[in-house]
Amino acid sequence: MAIGHLLLTASKSIGLPKLRWRRGLGIVIYTMKWLPEQIAGTLQGDEKPRIKPSASYTILNLDPQQPFSGIDQKSLTKLVKEKDVGRLFRLGGVEDIASSLDTDPESGIGKVTNSDDDNKHDDDEVARRQHAFGANTYTKPRCRSLFSFVWEAFKDPTILILFFCAALQSRQFDKLSKESSDVKVDVVRRGCRKFISIFDVVVGDVIWLNIGDQVPADGLLVEGHSLQVDESSMTGESDHVEIDSTHNPFLISGAKVVDGYGRMIVTAVGMNTSWGELMSSASRDSAEQTPLQVRLNTLTSAIGKLGMAVASLVLVVLFVRYFTGNTQDDNGNTEFVRGSTTTSEILEAVVNIVAAAVTIVVVAIPEGLPLAVTLTLAYSMKKMMADQAMVRKLSACETMGSATTICTDKTGTLTLNEMKVTKFYLGHEPMAGKIASITTSVAELIKEGIANNTTGGVQRPSLQADYVFSGSPTEKALLSWAVMELSMDMQEIKQNSTLLHVDPFNSKKKRSGVLVRSNIDGTDHAYWKGAAEMILSMCSHYYIASGEGRDLDNEARKTFEQIIQSMAAGSLRCIAFAHKKIEHNAQESDDQPELRDEGLTLLGMVGLKDPPRPGVKKAVESCQNAGVNIKMITGDNIFTAKAIATECGILRMGFDDQDGAVILGSEFRSHTPQQRLEKVDKICVMARSSPMDKLLMVECLKQKGHVVAVTGDGTNDAPALKEADIGLSMGIQGTEVAKESSDIVILDDNFSSVERVLCWGRGVYNNIQKFIQFQLTVNIAALVINFVAAVSSGDVPLTAVQLLWLNLIMDTLGALALATEKPTKELMDKKPVGRTEPLITNIMWRNIAAQAAYQVTVLLTLQFKGESMFSVDTAVKDTLLFNTFVLCQVFNEFNARKLEKKNVFKGIHRNKLFLAIIGITIVLQVVMVEFLKRFAGTERLNWEQWGVCLGLASASWPIGWIVKCIPVPERQNFSYLQSIIR
């Protein structure tokens, strides 16, 4: 202890560094001595050390106005994720959670004020909730950078030039993906239902869910009826999960509603949801190869092998000629003399020979094929967006061009999907202009049935504003008719009744029913609505206009069936309403009455009209003229289906019912597999079909060898959309499930857009064929010229630079010129390509052979007779040959625009890019010949020599015209080559 004190009180006369060291050492010694003594003294005796307890946490309230103080995001996320009902009850249930989130389960977030500042208040409320709980967006995987595409391109030298196109494609896909992800969600805010972007959903929002919807965020069910969801995208389980507000109210984002409907309150959004966790580690694979690309790779490989064989042969011949002393330099001296030729001279000669052989390989390998495919697909995708078609899968672009059959829906695709009540029957009497004569009791029953038995809604912001109807087209038409014609007050009716049970509508039952209890007299009533023939089979009585009820005997039933058929024949959708007052018996509990579906009284029938879209008949005829069969598959009855199909041109006027063109779904389903295969080609209309009937038809058509395209908009269309070669979903009415299962999204739900997609698909295939014809002509001519010249004279007439320039013309510029040709009407006059049609047809072989033979003849003549014919030296002769060869490709590029048509200039003024590329090619060729003598190995040509080159090259046009007059057999020749190319 003294030593420590001595060190601490050391004299200040010592140096500062030593003073600091001594004081530090003194503190250490002093502490080591004093601390044990203090602890020992404290612990003497029985008294225990008294250590003052400290708090294990500290609360800092930095924001006294912090919102939603009664609940936090972590608890909400954990609640739904773990599906803990006990925790839910400990938190007070759905009602208390809604209260903590400042949410009214009925009117949603925000207070109902009916003021002009509601929109501003909505924005403030949404911002407050996004600040507290986050936005309903997901962290996307990092987009691939430009350098990653460059690196991949360097791995394969043959597609080095494609990295610019890859960057362009990445940007295009990102744009399309963003547009396809921005779906609309039906929410309740300030007591009004509205559609908002899924990205604007916030915690506390009340969202309506119907069949086909995708759950946009994690949440809890507030109220629902027969709600079932498909959680297979998250759990992998195919069985549907029942959701109810008592035992399992948990809804996870990404689930699909497959039955029923309901309202949910959002508890987690964005990356806090179950789907968000999955999205954070998911990435989309974009390396898919189209069937066309697979065939092109095979073609490229075959051409490359041929080029390697020719180059190897040229290499051997040139080596043999050189080392045997059969080659001379420009002065006529033998290049190789044994014993006198130096090693450096030999190495220089070997390098030149190898360079010539390698150049032949470079010219032979068709680098332009991948570029042409990429340009065609990218160009077509961009233009198809303008034609209301968003391509989700590249393979669909060219596969659609091969389609032989299109199976289409009726509602919304062939028709406008804008239903309107045009006829109303009460009893057997049409009530047009007689609505006022309907007795009050019957009118009230009809209004109560429509108001309670609906998934739609009626809103009227103010007395001066128009009514706003929500729901499906059929629901909106019925609500509009009831409000406008029957003066229905939906809000008052719903306030005066309590909903006890709901049997929701689905595509199999084609009906819906509700059981309600009157709040006025306590009586229970069942209301049914659905397809007229379905509801009629459930009825035993019917009302007439005076309110009198009558028995529905066989004669009356036949009269109703005739009315239904007459409305269906006029392409009207017939909907019937029925009612039954529930009388309780002694054995039945008053609290749980039964929703009965027999012994009903028919209230009336309405006819709804959904007119065909403008231009749909012309589009159908265009597809039929193109050899594509159009089949309409609908859930409507057979009379409505035949009427619409006739209006749209799918059925011809005066068709025979006995020829099998029209069939019921149940009838098709009951056939044996062999019978279905025999009948499927004749079917034009399938009525009263289920989603499985559509899938069954697609399977049969594919077994028959058809390339099938299918349109669909519902969740239950997903199996058929996936099974089809090309799935076409609807962008407006289509559910998220349908869009995810499709290859192309038709943005305007119009069949005319389907016809344009078919035309674009054929254009893609045709553009690829044009480029292949153009490139093979160049390849064959270049290979023959170099091979013959090398074998005969030991010299290659075209230098490496000249061949590479030719390669640039036929690959890059040729692809740009021919791959961006717009589809023409003539494409829709041809038969479908089919699955196994070869890329190179007999027509293409005819054109290639004629042009290649002409070019080879001209160039060989110039090679061996050019000097004497034009009295020029070897250098000028080689320049004439090179110039003529390049100009031949420029003129032949015009021939490639039309594979069959003689007039190759038709529509050329509309393709500005083609003309620009031709002009650029000619200008660059002049520069190569006249100004780049040393670089290109050329000599300047006079006007006469330029005229000779142009004259020889322009002969390609009349030769192309004459050759196209030669007929070719339909049966494909060159069977060996065809098998390779396929």
Side-chain angles (χ1 to χ4, degrees), residues 67 183-184 213 220 237 268 301 366 405 455 465 487 509 555 610 638 646 680 714 732 736 777 780 868 920:
V183 298
K184 300 301 179 183
D213 288 344
L220 299 169
E237 296 293 335
S301 177
T405 303
T455 57
S487 302
K509 295 180 294 186
E555 184 177 352
D610 183 13
I638 195 168
T646 303
V680 70
I732 300 175
E736 284 304 301
T777 302
I780 292 173
S868 59
I920 292 171

Side-chain angles (χ1 to χ4, degrees), residues 810-830:
M810 72 176 184
D811 282 354
T812 308
L813 298 180
L816 283 171
L818 296 174
T820 54
E821 284 276 352
K822 292 184 178 179
T824 59
K825 294 181 180 179
E826 289 82 4
L827 292 174
M828 297 299 286
D829 296 330
K830 300 179 180 179

Side-chain angles (χ1 to χ4, degrees), residues 292-293 295-296 299 368-377 398 761-775 815 818-820 839-840 844 899:
L292 180 62
Q293 285 175 322
R295 297 161 71 184
L296 286 172
L299 176 62
L369 275 178
L371 177 62
V373 172
T374 303
L375 286 174
T376 301
L377 293 176
E398 52 92 8
R762 293 191 172 191
V764 169
Y765 193 88
N766 189 246
N767 285 346
I768 300 300
Q769 287 184 312
K770 292 175 184 178
F771 180 75
I772 290 174
Q773 175 181 297
F774 172 72
Q775 188 173 51
L818 296 174
T820 54
L839 266 178
I840 306 178
M844 294 171 64
L899 300 178

Side-chain angles (χ1 to χ4, degrees), residues 929-968:
V929 173
E930 299 295 330
F931 303 102
L932 299 178
K933 175 181 177 180
R934 180 170 297 182
F935 172 74
T938 58
E939 295 288 338
R940 287 192 172 186
L941 302 178
N942 57 37
W943 288 105
E944 181 182 354
Q945 292 165 344
W946 270 100
V948 171
C949 295
L950 286 170
L952 291 173
S954 63
S956 298
W957 286 350
I959 291 174
W961 190 90
I962 294 171
V963 166
K964 289 176 182 177
C965 296
I966 302 174
V968 294

Side-chain angles (χ1 to χ4, degrees), residues 70 74 170 187 228 254 361 668 897 906:
K74 185 176 180 181
S170 177
V187 305
Q228 289 188 341
V361 175
F668 182 74
R897 291 187 67 246
K906 183 179 180 180

